[in-house]
Every structure is written in structure tokens, then in C-alpha cells.
């Protein structure tokens, strides 16, 4: 019986129709009667022809219309006819009217337009396609086609079942069945699986499927001997070789004396036996080879169960035994491996796993894939004549681990790269996810424990650092407050008292403040404090005694010496001088006023060595800045006194002394700023102490909620951050070197400046209104310099606003992005303003509109802005006051030439 897949019959692709293919539709309408099987089949073919005719008609109309307009037809010019109508005997010349009618038909019936159809592929098998070997080839073919064509392919499948129907009339029955079944079906490709299928198609293919390409597979080269293939036929040959498998068997069992070859009596069985006899000729010297090919299955099984020792069995195929009984080769192999008392070897991968040891096996999956690849090339447009017949080597060494163990065969004798199947999984393969999960949980638990321990250590370190920072910030605020409020007559006493506080707080032994007089190379220790029991500091330090340290301090560099033996060779004199005075560790910081080193602040450890980390040096630098301000104040006051004494000498000298007095007043203003900063520090410190006490009390309560303690700790961290930010601002103000350029948030920078000037704005009764730009990009620049620009502009605006006699005192600050890649900041005041002629001059050096101004603030701001690739300018307000504009490039944005 011929089996087919369930497919919708009558699907047709576009092809040339013949007059016989046009059905007589009217006759079907007039002669309505009960239809038998033949009438139903004929009706289906007629309907398929109607579909084909309709599709061809649409194609012809479309082609004719296109050709007519391309040729520029006129009513009197002859033209070609419609092919499908001519086939019916209707000669229809193509004129303008016909073309117009065709276009109308195409517009009203778009279904007549040709459409790309799915590919149709017919598989023809010699036997039942569900046979294991054929099933492997079938699956490989379908998977390969679908991997390329996806759902745009339709498969038809036919099985010739030649082993079940051996009479001569069966070929004619198959031919007629194919003709009726595929009369209305347009095929794109036919795949012939095995030699008998190819033989059938070579006999009847041109009559059944004229011009359809044929790709064959599973065909032995001997099947094609003496034949000339048509131009539409190509395919893949099976490279059958049995010698390598027998060689592997003899290597695995070197003591083999007898080889028994098992085969069947079908035509295909005998064909394989002929190949095996040829391949086994070279092995007849190594073992006695016997062929069991004509025995009935019961006799064969009995014989194989009583084989002599040192024997092996080579299984070919058994489609029919000696009694003519048909078998599926897989079932026959299962019977043979179950009865044989010797290992069974095979040459096809489909047989591995059915009781055979294995061997040098041919891969049917790879064979089917090669055939499908050729078919895809044809479906993509290549001609079969241009694709040569191939004979790929699809062999591999494959063995069944269970049979190797059963027969005690040594795996080490297998060929290199052999595939061993059915090996029982190891404990790792069976439970690897459980093992991995357990190990992962263990590692996670260990990581959590380590993380908790690390967190605990970090928390303790943070607590210690926080305590030290709090202690130092308290000391810094105390020192700043002492010097701000101290009168001139009490400065010396306050300096020594603050040196003592620093030594006691930081657990040092000595602190000294030295000043450098103008034109002198020596440092004079003006103030010092030393713990009891240690030698006091020498009041005069010559340059020759500490040349290395003095040189570094003169260049504005801090010096830290954790131990004397760490000093370089060029500091031998310094090492000797310090050792003589019992100094074990030293830190010295230059005191810089107006860019010049005017002195030094030194701290020493006499009881032992100590480290001077960067964080501690940064704190000491803040203290050095405060003491430098004190020296500047003392010097300024000295300058004021000298200017007052010489005021009567000359008017010009008096004017110079006034300038010095103005300078002293500006330095005093810096002292006021220090007091404001100390107040800003005291607030977070007080909050930290309060929250710390609250956390301590909560931790002492058993019913205390961890969340409350956590909230208190969060508040402590936030307050500490505020205090730290204040100290960083102060450090930035005292630091003279520039910071590295970084991404600067303009809104945050403006907020930072306004926070520093909040007290001054309140004192001057000036309202500041800030309009922040939403999602402004950052600016690449020096945050300290940009902060200085904004501070100068805001301070100038405030001073101009204060000079107004009436009206509101208001400053408006707008931050925006006027264009891509640029950020603008506008500072608008309600002050007195300036003349239009002075809008550009105010940015020049020594040009000021204020009575006591130096005229340097806007000039410095302009140089900073231009150094950042931006520009600054001023405009008059409509009412009164002035607006200063600053425009800067965004981060990574192109800069504009100033």
C-alpha cells in the first residue's frame, strides 16, 4: 500500500497550461450525479487545474499590461496575444482597450496577481519511512530544510514498500498512483532515498514530474554503474566501507580467530554482502571469515549462540532471512545480539544501542543533511547539472559503553577520538546541580560571615575615624574662634595656648610656630609649647642646620618624617640636628600668606616614632592656614601701626599707608569668615553629639528598635558629612594650588557658594533668588576656580545692591542651557549699575566702581572663565542694576574661542 502524508491536494504553482488542462466546468454543472472514487479523484484534479488556470491568467494579464505600456501601444498597432487564452483557441490581440481592461481586472481582482508560493518537496522512500534508518534520514532532511526555509516549505512523502510487494505489476501500480495523486500538484524538488527509489524515478520521473529536479541519497556507487543521469538529477552517494570496523574489532580483540558475517537474502542485503566480501579480503590472513546469509532466523540465532571462543560477529543488514521472512534490520539486530555468545560489530550509527559493540559507523544524519543542502542550493536557483554528485566521508568511531563492559573490552584500545555512548553518568553528572547549589550556599554563607566581620571591623574603624575627626573639628573650631575674638594684645598668649591644645589633642610632644623675617634666611621660633620633661625648642634655627627641611618649606612643600632613618642622604645634616635634640618624628607645614612663605608650623614626637597619614596632614594643613591668618593679621597690624607713624611724613606716603590699612582690613575680614565657618562646623558637631548620646541610650534599652538606632546613626553620618564638607570648603579656600579638572555640577556649585555667603547676605539684608536649570549637564573644570568666579560675582552684586538708597535689595541667579553644549549663569542685581561706556572696562585690571575696590575681582574671574573655554560679559538691566553673564562649555563639548 502506498502511504502519503495528509496534505491539501490541488495546490498549484504558476506554470504554463495546456488546452487539456482546462476543465470543462459546464459539464460538471450539468451532470450532477453521485460520484465514485474515480470521479472524486478526477474532480479534485479538475479543481486544481482551475486554480492553475486562474493563477496563470492573472500572470499573463499582468505581464501583457506591463509589456504593452513599456512598448507604447496604440489602437492600430498589433500586439502579442494572451498565452493562456490562446491555449484555449481564443486569439486575443493586446490593444490599448485590452490593456485597459486587464488593468481594471487586476485592480478589481488583486487575487489574480502572482504570489510567491511555498516550496513543495516530495520524499520518495524505497521502504516504510518509519523504518529506523529511513526515519533518521527523513528527520535530518526535514530539519535541514526547515532550518533554512522555516515554514515556507511543504513536504510530501511516499513509501514504495518494495520488500512487501515484489510482483512485477507493483511498479505499474505505483506509477499510476503517482500520476493520479500529483496530477494537479507542482513540485519544486524530489528527494529519492535509497537506490530503488532512484531507479523508480529514473524510469518514470520524466513522465510523472517533467523537469522537476531530483536529489538522491542512500545510493551506492555500484547502483549508478553504466547509467547516465539526466541533467535534472544529482545527489549524495553512500561511501560504504566495512574494513575499518573489522580492523577495530580485531584491535579490540587481538586473539580473534573467527569472524562471522551476518546478512539477509533481499536484493539490498546481497548488495551489501558483495561490498563486505571485497572489503574483508585483506583480513582473511588474520582470521577465518564465515558468512551466514541464507539461514532462517531461528537457525541463525541457534548457530550464533554456539559460536566457538575467540569469535566476533559482523552484522550487515537483514531485510529478509533465508526463509523469505521480512524483517526490520533493527529488530533483526536485537534478536541477534540477544542470542550471540560473541560481540557484535556494526557499520551504521543507527545500530549502536541495540546490543552491538559499535565500530567505524556511517552517520545517516550527516548523510541526510548533505542531501538536504544540495536540495536547498537547487531551491535557491542553482541547476542540478551544475552540482556534482558527492560522496562525503560521514564515518566516525562510535561504541556502546555497556557492550564494552559486557564483553570486557579495553577502552584504551579504541581509536583516538572515539565516541562512547550510554556511559552511566557519574555522581557529579547526576547531582551536579545539587552539589553546585550546596557549594554555592556554603560559599554564600561564608561570604556573608566574612562580610559581616569585615563590616564590623569597618564600623569600628569608622567610629574611631569619626571620633578623631570630631575631636579635630572641635579643636579647629576652638582655635579659629580663639583667634577671631582675641584682641591684638592677647594674640601671643592665645597662640601658645592653642599650640598646647593641639599637642594634647593629637598626642604629640612639641609644637612650634616660626616666622621668617623679610630678607632673612633664618626662622625665628616666636611661639612653642613642649611637654614637661623635654628640652624646649631653640628660638633661632639657622639655614645651615636644617638645609633639606628649610628648602622644602621655602618652596611651599609640607615635610613629614615618620622616622629619622627614612631621610635621604642629602638630609644627613637635618638627621643629625634632629637626633641631637631628641626628635624621633616630625611634621612641618609652611605658612603661606599672599603666595609667600612667611613661616612654618612644626609638630614633633619625642617619645617615639609615629605615622603622618595624608588625612592627618590635611587636618594639620587647615591648622596651618589658621595660624598663617594669625601671622597675616599680626603683620597687617604691624603695617597699620607703621603707616600711622609715617602718615605725617608726606602725602604720598600717607596714601600708601592707606592702601596698607585697606589691605589689613581685608585680612581682618578673612578672620570674620573663619568665625562664620566655625559656627557652621559647631552646628553639625552638636547634632552629632546629640544623636550619638541618643543612640547610646537606645542601645542600652533592651526594647529599643534597631530602626531607631539606625536612624540615629544615619543622622550622625549626615551631620558628619556636613561638617566634613565645611572643612573641605575651608581647605579649598586656604589651599593655593589648583585642583584637577573634574565634572562640576553647576547647580550644586551655586548652592555651595550661597551656603558660604548666607550669613553675609542676611547681614546685608539682601535677598537671593536662585532659578536652577533642570537636568543641566556638568561642566569640566577646576571646582575651586569656578567657585571663586561665582563668589566674586555674587559678592560684587551684593555690594552694588547695598549702595542703593531705596528699592528692594535683590539678587537673581539663573542657571540654564541656552544651546546644546553650553551652560549659562546670569547674576542680576538691583544695585546702582554702571555707565554703558564702562561695561567692558570693568573687566580690566585695577578698574573698579567701588571706592575701596582693587579692581581685580572681575579681571580674575574673566581670566578663569576664558581659561575654561567660556566667556563673561555684562549688560544693563531695563530698570536698574547690572546683569553679569557667564557661559561655559559642557563636559566634552567643543569650546569657543574667546
Amino acid at each position: 500500500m502506498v502511504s502519503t502524508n495528509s496534505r491539501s491536494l490541488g495546490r498549484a504553482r504558476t506554470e504554463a497550461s495546456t488546452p487539456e488542462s482546462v476543465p470543462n466546468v459546464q459539464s460538471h454543472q450539468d451532470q450532477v450525479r453521485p460520484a465514485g472514487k474515480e470521479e472524486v479523484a478526477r474532480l479534485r484534479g479538475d479543481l486544481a487545474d482551475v486554480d492553475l488556470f486562474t493563477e496563470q491568467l492573472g500572470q499573463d494579464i499582468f505581464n501583457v499590461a506591463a509589456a504593452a505600456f513599456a512598448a507604447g501601444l496604440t489602437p492600430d498597432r498589433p500586439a502579442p496575444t494572451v498565452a493562456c487564452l490562446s491555449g484555449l483557441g481564443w486569439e486575443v490581440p493586446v490593444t490599448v482597450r485590452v490593456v485597459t481592461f486587464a488593468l481594471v481586472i487586476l485592480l478589481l481582482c488583486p487575487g489574480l496577481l502572482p504570489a510567491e508560493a511555498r516550496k513543495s518537496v516530495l520524499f520518495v522512500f524505497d521502504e516504510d519511512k518509519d523504518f529506523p534508518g529511513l526515519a533518521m534520514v527523513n528527520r535530518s532532511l526535514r530539519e535541514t530544510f526547515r532550518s533554512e526555509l522555516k515554514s515556507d516549505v511543504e513536504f510530501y512523502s511516499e513509501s514504495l514498500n518494495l520488500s512487501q510487494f515484489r510482483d512485477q505489476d507493483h511498479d505499474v501500480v505505483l506509477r499510476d498512483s503517482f500520476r493520479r495523486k500529483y496530477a494537479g500538484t507542482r513540485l519544486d524538488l524530489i528527494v529519492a532515498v535509497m537506490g530503488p527509489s532512484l531507479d523508480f524515478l529514473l524510469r518514470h520521473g520524466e513522465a510523472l514530474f517533467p523537469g522537476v529536479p531530483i536529489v538522491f541519497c542512500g545510493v551506492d556507487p555500484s547502483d549508478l554503474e553504466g547509467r547516465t543521469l539526466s541533467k535534472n538529477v544529482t545527489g549524495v552517494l553512500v561511501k560504504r566501507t566495512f574494513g575499518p570496523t573489522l580492523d577495530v574489532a580485531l584491535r579490540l580483540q587481538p586473539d580473534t580467530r573467527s569472524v562471522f558475517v551476518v546478512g539477509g537474502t533481499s536484493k539490498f542485503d546481497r548488495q551489501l554482502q558483495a561490498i563486505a566480501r571485497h572489503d574483508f579480503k585483506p583480513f582473511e590472513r588474520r582470521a577465518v571469515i564465515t558468512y551466514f546469509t541464507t539461514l532462517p532466523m531461528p537457525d541463525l540465532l541457534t548457530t550464533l549462540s554456539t559460536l566457538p571462543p575467540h569469535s566476533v560477529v559482523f552484522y550487515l543488514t537483514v531485510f529478509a532471512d533465508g526463509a523469505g521472512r521480512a524483517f526490520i534490520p533493527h529488530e533483526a539486530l536485537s534478536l541477534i545480539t540477544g542470542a550471540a555468545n560473541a560481540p557484535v560489530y556494526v557499520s551504521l550509527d543507527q545500530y549502536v544501542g541495540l546490543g552491538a559493540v559499535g565500530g567505524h559507523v556511517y552517520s545517516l544524519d550527516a548523510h541526510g543533511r548533505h542531501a538536504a543542502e544540495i536540495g536547498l542550493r537547487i531551491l535557491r536557483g542553482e541547476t542540478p547539472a551544475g552540482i556534482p554528485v558527492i560522496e562525503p566521508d560521514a564515518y566516525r568511531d562510535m561504541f556502546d559503553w555497556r557492550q564494552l563492559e559486557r564483553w570486557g573490552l579495553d577502552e584504551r584500545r579504541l581509536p583516538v577520538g572515539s565516541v562512547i555512548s550510554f556511559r552511566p553518568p557519574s555522581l557529579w553528572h547526576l547531582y551536579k546541580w545539587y552539589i553546585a547549589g550546596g557549594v554555592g550556599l556554603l560559599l554564600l554563607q561564608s561570604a556573608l560571615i566574612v562580610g559581616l566581620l569585615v563590616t564590623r571591623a569597618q564600623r569600628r574603624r569608622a567610629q574611631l575615624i569619626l571620633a578623631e575627626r570630631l575631636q579635630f573639628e572641635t579643636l579647629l573650631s576652638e582655635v579659629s574662634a580663639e583667634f577671631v575674638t582675641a584682641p591684638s594684645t592677647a594674640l601671643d598668649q592665645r597662640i601658645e595656648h592653642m599650640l598646647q591644645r593641639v599637642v594634647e589633642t593629637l598626642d604629640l610632644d612639641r609644637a612650634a610656630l616660626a616666622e621668617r623675617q623679610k630678607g632673612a634666611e633664618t626662622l625665628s621660633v616666636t611661639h612653642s609649647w613642649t611637654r614637661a620633661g623635654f628640652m624646649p625648642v631653640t628660638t633661632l634655627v639657622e639655614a645651615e642646620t636644617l638645609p633639606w627641611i628649610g628648602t622644602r618649606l621655602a618652596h611651599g612643600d609640607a615635610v613629614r618624617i615618620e622616622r629619622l632613618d627614612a631621610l635621604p642622604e642629602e638630609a644627613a645634616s637635618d638627621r643629625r640636628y634632629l637626633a641631637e635634640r631628641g626628635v624621633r618624628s616630625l611634621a612641618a607645614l609652611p605658612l603661606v600668606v599672599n603666595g609667600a612663605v612667611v613661616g612654618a608650623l612644626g609638630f614633633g614626637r619625642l617619645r617615639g616614632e609615629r605615622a603622618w597619614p595624608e588625612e592627618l596632614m590635611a587636618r594639620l594643613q587647615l591648622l596651618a592656614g589658621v595660624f598663617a591668618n594669625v601671622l597675616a593679621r599680626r603683620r597687617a597690624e604691624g603695617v597699620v601701626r607703621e603707616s600711622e607713624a609715617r602718615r605725617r611724613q608726606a602725602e604720598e606716603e600717607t596714601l600708601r599707608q592707606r592702601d596698607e590699612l585697606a589691605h589689613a582690613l581685608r585680612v581682618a575680614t578673612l578672620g570674620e569668615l573663619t568665625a562664620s565657618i566655625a559656627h557652621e562646623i559647631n552646628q553639625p558637631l552638636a547634632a552629632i553629639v546629640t544623636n550619638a548620646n541618643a543612640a547610646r541610650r537606645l542601645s542600652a534599652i533592651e526594647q529599643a528598635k534597631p530602626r531607631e538606632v539606625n536612624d540615629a546613626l544615619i543622622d550622625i553620618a549626615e551631620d558628619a558629612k556636613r561638617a566634613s564638607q565645611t572643612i573641605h570648603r575651608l581647605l579649598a579656600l586656604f589651599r593655593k594650588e589648583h585642583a584637577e579638572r573634574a565634572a562640576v555640577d553647576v547647580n550644586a556649585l551655586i548652592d555651595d557658594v550661597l551656603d558660604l555667603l548666607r550669613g553675609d547676605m542676611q547681614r546685608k539684608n539682601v535677598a537671593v533668588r536662585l532659578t536652577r536649570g533642570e537636568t543641566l549637564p556638568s561642566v569640566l573644570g577646576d571646582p575651586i576656580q569656578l567657585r571663586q568666579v561665582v563668589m566674586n560675582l555674587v559678592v560684587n552684586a551684593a555690594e552694588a545692591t547695598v549702595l542703593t538708597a531705596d528699592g528692594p535689595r535683590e539678587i537673581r541667579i539663573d542657571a540654564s542651557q541656552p544651546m546644546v553644549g553650553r551652560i549659562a549663569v546670569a547674576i542680576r542685581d538691583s544695585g546702582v549699575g554702571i555707565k554703558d561706556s564702562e561695561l567692558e572696562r570693568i573687566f580690566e585690571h585695577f578698574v573698579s566702581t567701588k571706592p575701596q575696590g582693587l579692581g581685580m575681582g572681575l579681571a580674575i574671574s574673566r581670566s578663569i572663565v576664558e581659561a575654561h573655554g567660556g566667556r563673561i560679559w555684562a549688560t544693563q538691566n531695563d530698570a536698574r542694576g547690572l546683569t553679569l553673564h557667564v557661559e561655559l562649555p559642557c563636559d566634552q563639548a567643543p569650546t569657543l574661542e574667546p
Side-chain angles (χ1 to χ4, degrees), residues 50 90 283 355 422 473 510 518 587 591 643 698 770 807 829 846:
V50 170
W90 302 345
F283 296 94
F422 305 104
E473 290 170 354
R510 177 183 293 164
K518 292 183 179 181
L591 301 181
S643 64
L698 288 173
L770 172 61
D829 62 63
F846 306 110

Side-chain angles (χ1 to χ4, degrees), residues 834-851:
I834 61 174
K835 297 179 181 179
D836 292 340
S837 59
E838 297 180 354
L839 287 177
E840 284 296 327
R841 293 189 67 250
I842 60 176
F843 296 102
E844 298 177 0
H845 293 284
F846 306 110
V847 175
S848 176
T849 59
K850 296 179 290 186

